[in-house]
Amino acid sequence: QVQLVESGGGLVQPGGSLRLSCAASGSIRLNTMTWYRQAPGKERESVASITSITFGGRTNYADSVKGRFTISRDNAKNTVYLQMNSLKPEDTAVYYCNTLSGIFSWGQGTQVTVSS
């Protein structure tokens, strides 16, 4: 079973940037990988996905983050990234990664807090 470890979160002011990393313990090169987030009192939602290189590494974003977030992957490092720019208070959440269908065990996530 692949283990996922998210990192890179923190406290940032509105308008700031963060880069999240998701390190997998095994190969994820054939998987469509997705970043999710869960804010307090809300359901987990997907924010960005990236297909495998086999399918062109195509990306997809939730409307709420389009133009501000960028997902990428490094298959050699079994790592997926989420570059977050122009952060807003409503981006505050715990961020997780997993496959599009959530087949791996969920990691602990990384907390992102956007506040002045």
Side-chain angles (χ1 to χ4, degrees):
Q1 174 73 298
V2 171
Q3 304 295 318
L4 301 168
V5 179
E6 301 91 351
S7 62
L11 172 63
V12 63
Q13 292 186 342
S17 298
L18 284 173
R19 188 194 195 204
L20 307 184
S21 298
C22 169
S25 61
S27 176
I28 54 171
R29 63 183 182 89
L30 297 180
N31 299 102
T32 292
M33 296 302 295
T34 301
W35 279 99
Y36 301 82
R37 68 185 181 188
Q38 187 167 19
K42 295 188 177 181
E43 293 188 354
R44 187 176 291 164
E45 62 173 349
S46 62
V47 295
S49 292
I50 184 166
T51 67
S52 68
I53 299 301
T54 302
F55 292 97
R58 292 191 299 272
T59 58
N60 189 56
Y61 299 94
D63 288 343
S64 58
V65 305
K66 201 170 293 183
R68 300 188 297 121
F69 290 11
T70 303
I71 188 172
S72 61
R73 66 191 300 159
D74 184 337
N75 288 331
K77 296 182 178 180
N78 296 323
T79 301
V80 182
Y81 304 97
L82 186 68
Q83 177 67 44
M84 307 187 296
N85 298 328
S86 302
L87 283 161
K88 304 176 180 180
E90 51 263 44
D91 295 319
T92 295
V94 179
Y95 284 71
Y96 304 86
C97 69
N98 210 316
T99 67
L100 186 61
S101 54
I103 64 171
F104 298 143
S105 297
W106 292 92
Q108 292 189 329
T110 186
Q111 175 72 47
V112 172
T113 302
V114 185
S115 175
S116 55

